Amino acid sequence: MSYILGLTGSIGMGKSTTGRMFADLGCALWDADAAVHRMYAAGGDAVAPIRAEFPDAVGDDAVSRDVLKDIIARDPTALSRLERIVHPLVAMDRQAFVEQTTADIVVLDIPLLFEGGFDAMVDGTVCVTAPLEMQQARVLERGTMTEAQFQAILAKQMPDAEKQRRATWIVITDTVEHARAQVQDIVTTIRRDLSHA
């Protein structure tokens, strides 16, 4: 039996980097965002059902995220209709990954881990965090959104302090070295507990 570890953190906190650190230590890593990207790509599982619901969002047999964003911005019902298509597909992908892996620790990178109630399905949780100024600087350095867009995303997400309060472990990503040491400690603790189980 694998230990299932839920990994979460707000935008710009270093969650993807932290996930790779777990993978470097031999953990199996499943990424919800990557799963959606696969499903939206040509031949992906979400292409046909999204074409049926939102014909304009599919071109070259792939889903255009930009067109979907525009549709969601214009139509207040679009997001819930999209989620009804995508969420079950993502759940099946996640379940298949967990069942097929042979790793002792499976890390599920789920941005909305607590918001979606997914913490009830895992053995433990990790919240990745960093000081607010660092978080904002990281996001704005990407050059993909304005400060106003960043603030709008923050407003929709569960506050970082609440995620930290709910988490089994917290990884502070102020430096790569500090984050890596904390990840190593978590993996060591879980493996020690597994060996005593």
Side-chain angles (χ1 to χ4, degrees):
M1 248 337 245
S2 301
Y3 184 97
I4 310 296
L5 185 63
L7 175 67
T8 195
S10 299
I11 184 172
M13 291 299 200
K15 184 168 55 65
S16 298
T17 302
T18 304
R20 286 193 294 274
M21 290 175 183
F22 278 102
D24 289 344
L25 293 172
C27 303
L29 176 64
W30 180 85
D31 181 329
D33 288 340
V36 172
H37 275 282
R38 282 197 311 277
M39 290 171 191
Y40 282 11
D45 292 345
V47 176
I50 288 176
R51 180 188 280 125
E53 187 74 30
F54 307 103
D56 296 346
V58 177
D60 297 328
D61 204 32
V63 176
S64 165
R65 295 174 89 97
D66 290 337
V67 174
L68 264 187
K69 269 188 204 154
D70 291 343
I71 292 170
I72 290 165
R74 288 194 314 267
D75 180 351
T77 69
L79 182 59
S80 60
R81 283 157 51 211
L82 177 66
E83 287 174 343
R84 277 199 297 274
I85 295 168
V86 176
H87 286 182
L89 293 172
V90 170
M92 286 191 311
D93 190 84
R94 182 177 62 240
Q95 190 59 37
F97 182 87
V98 170
E99 288 170 3
Q100 290 162 12
T101 187
T102 55
D104 57 345
I105 300 171
V106 180
V107 178
L108 303 179
D109 178 340
I110 304 176
L112 300 176
L113 180 78
F114 295 120
E115 293 90 334
F118 298 109
D119 52 319
M121 304 166 16
V122 298
D123 300 311
T125 55
V126 173
C127 173
V128 179
T129 188
L132 179 61
E133 317 76 64
M134 189 175 279
Q135 177 191 19
Q136 182 168 333
R138 285 174 181 166
V139 171
L140 298 180
E141 275 166 16
R142 295 176 190 168
T144 55
M145 68 176 68
T146 64
E147 188 170 341
Q149 288 169 319
F150 167 67
Q151 294 298 341
I153 287 173
L154 271 195
K156 286 185 196 156
Q157 294 186 337
M158 180 182 288
D160 179 51
E162 177 64 13
K163 287 181 182 175
Q164 289 188 48
R165 191 185 66 73
R166 292 190 184 197
T168 315
W169 291 282
I170 296 165
V171 172
I172 301 164
T173 62
D174 48 356
T175 68
V176 171
E177 295 74 23
H178 188 207
R180 189 172 283 122
Q182 294 165 87
V183 168
Q184 178 70 68
D185 287 347
I186 293 166
V187 169
T188 300
T189 300
I190 293 171
R191 287 189 169 141
R192 187 186 63 227
D193 291 349
L194 284 174
S195 70
H196 294 157

